[in-house]
Amino acid sequence: MTYTQLLKIPFLAALLSLPLSAAHISASADTGTQPLPPLTGEAAAIAGILAGENLPHLKLNPASYTDETLIVGGQTVAFRAYRDIPYAVRPRDRERERMSIFIPAAYFSGGTVNGYTAKTAPIFLPNGVGGYMPGEILAPALDGTKANASLVALSRGLVVAAPAIRGRTDRNKEGVYVGKAPACIVDYKAAVRFLRYNAALLPAGNTERIIASGTSAGGALSALLGASGNSRDYDEELAAIAAAPGRDDIYAANCYCPITNLEHADMAYEWIFAGVMESPAATPMTADAIAASARLKELFPSYLNSLILKDAVGTPMQVWTDGSGSFTEYIKAIYRASAQSAVDGKMPLDGADWFTVKDGKVTDIDLAKYAVWATRLKAAPAFDRFDRSSGENDVFGTEDNTPRHFTDFSRQYDTTHGDLAPDTDIRRMNPMNYIGTAGVRTAPHFRIRHGAKDRDTAMPVPAILALRLQNAGVAVDFSAPWGQGHGGDYDLKELFDWIDHICK
């Protein structure tokens, strides 16, 4: 029986997520997973066949590399590059579903970098996704004299595993759009599984210390990968591309300005920006948009209160219809800390008139004035547009490229009567649906950054994510850097200091 024939067996999707062994396999002590039971009978026989068929396709070739160097600040960074490795046996886009692995040269001679060895070096897993578009391989590179995140990672002793990932505009040779939801997270998980599958062949890198990183939609993808480790919700799609079997949980996720929690992001956006009707960059706020803004703002408290979140000291996070409440004070505290950093550092205040300073201390925050200062970027609804014209509508589209809604709210106002995406696809794109749930291992460490002047999504979105993670026992480093709009990789020293802190 061939691998292709095996894929037609109904229960194979579940089987593919198990290790390729008929023997009992115990999980590593620090993975938080339980030992898997031994496979028996027909399942064991099929697993053995799969092992034989999979290995030639998903086996890393340690001899296929180039030795390369780049100069960073006068320092020579030497590394070995393993490029364009397929991470699935049956990719839907053969040009896209590949990854490159970069390893500090010192590890091939028994050396150390930044206190790491070939055995202990964490694996940095950056994605190049933005706007839910296709993500390119983020190879080590210089922009002028500035090193990108992958190159800084190598200089700090990390192994870099950089996958290309399908996005909403990807088409295969037959013209089928193969990058719609949940393709991006399926590919990211397949990359993780490939690394673990080849752990014994990797010349360096600790596969129990995988750290994802991304910005915007890529930040959302990093959060989703970190939140949904080993969930069975993705088994069918992983089996369809014949991803390596095994685990896809990771150790940590770095998330810059994540465009996430999409089915509630419109409410959160209007809770902050309702009342701001003009912006140089915004689509004009029509009468329908103004009415939608007011209604979405009204809906937000009900959603927030349903989450039953608590802050670090156990205070229930709530918000009332008049805008007051403990959650409001929590949001103010985030902005207060950001403004205080600007005052302490004597940074440019950019005309900010929304906080009060007394004796060098920021004492009060006016969220309404903040919204005017930051300005609205997107007309209401910001994400699930009535005419299905947003990138998010596109990522939830069909394989013939018909965009779809992902909220009942916007669908009811669509005069063209566009379809709603399947509930399973909407669910599988939101990390909030996986944190703290049975059968899922969420990464124990998260770092979330949302710039103080970011208006691509609203502060409640990353704040809610951070609270849910903290309530589930995850260690979260969350802040709103002053002077930052929507973007990432602006604080690479701090990022890799954080990685050292959680890994050493």
Side-chain angles (χ1 to χ4, degrees), residues 61 93 129 142 157 160 192 280 304 307 324 332 341 352 369-370 372-373 379 387 402 404 433 444 449 459 466 491:
N61 180 1
D93 184 340
V129 172
L142 288 165
V160 175
V192 174
L304 185 281
L307 297 175
S324 65
K332 286 183 177 181
S341 71
K369 287 185 176 181
Y370 164 80
V372 174
W373 172 79
D387 62 359
T402 302
R404 293 186 288 199
N433 295 323
R449 293 293 182 269
M459 178 62 78
D491 60 350

Side-chain angles (χ1 to χ4, degrees), residues 12-24:
L12 192 57
L15 181 60
L16 276 169
S17 68
L18 299 175
L20 292 183
S21 172
H24 183 81

Side-chain angles (χ1 to χ4, degrees), residues 139-199:
L142 288 165
D143 181 4
T145 60
K146 184 179 179 181
N148 70 357
S150 294
L151 184 51
V152 173
L154 286 173
S155 73
R156 299 280 294 252
L158 278 68
V159 170
V160 175
I165 290 173
R166 285 175 291 166
R168 58 188 173 88
T169 60
D170 260 323
R171 286 187 293 175
N172 64 13
K173 292 181 179 179
E174 290 72 40
V176 177
Y177 284 80
V178 295
K180 306 300 185 181
C184 57
I185 183 60
V186 170
D187 285 357
Y188 218 11
K189 285 176 174 286
V192 174
R193 289 184 173 202
F194 177 89
L195 291 171
R196 286 221 174 87
Y197 190 81
N198 284 280

